[in-house]
Amino acid sequence: MTDPLTVLRALRRPRLLIRAARFGQVEYRRERDLTRLLHGTRAPAPDQALSSLMEQEERLEETRRTGDAAYSISRHIELLIAMMAEARLIPAKPGFTSDA
């Protein structure tokens, strides 16, 4: 299995989406937002949350790329915000910097 942080660092998305997500991190509240995004009652550990968020974001990115009318830019930004925030909660492995 590939390390989620490595995958996140390699992620390439439109600059405007990334900028909006970085800006939105100020308002991110883990319990409130993560529970809503993952449709659960409690927020899982950051590494588990990041994996789940990345799966959802990957599906949404495919929807965006195909031009499907079901694409939601606000949902995409919410997922990117949560991914960035959760990545920061995962302890860095030796040799890595937290640039997410």
Side-chain angles (χ1 to χ4, degrees):
M1 184 169 133
T2 306
D3 176 34
L5 290 177
T6 303
V7 174
L8 185 62
R9 284 186 184 91
L11 201 64
R12 298 292 174 248
R13 297 296 180 258
R15 185 175 298 161
L16 187 57
L17 282 176
I18 298 301
R19 288 179 64 189
R22 285 183 179 148
F23 183 75
Q25 285 187 39
V26 174
E27 297 297 321
Y28 181 75
R29 299 293 173 265
R30 189 171 200 272
E31 288 299 320
R32 176 194 68 200
D33 299 330
L34 194 56
T35 302
R36 181 178 45 79
L37 289 169
L38 297 180
H39 309 291
T41 55
R42 294 185 44 144
D47 57 336
Q48 294 171 331
L50 182 57
S51 292
S52 297
L53 291 165
M54 289 175 72
E55 287 173 13
Q56 285 186 45
E57 193 276 337
E58 186 176 327
R59 288 191 300 270
L60 197 53
E61 174 64 8
E62 184 61 30
T63 303
R64 182 188 73 80
R65 286 180 179 259
T66 61
D68 192 324
Y71 176 70
S72 169
I73 192 168
S74 61
R75 176 78 173 178
H76 203 165
I77 293 169
E78 288 175 332
L79 286 168
L80 290 169
I81 289 168
M83 287 167 53
M84 290 176 182
E86 292 301 310
R88 290 195 166 129
L89 296 176
I90 298 173
K93 292 182 181 178
F96 284 114
T97 59
S98 60
D99 300 9

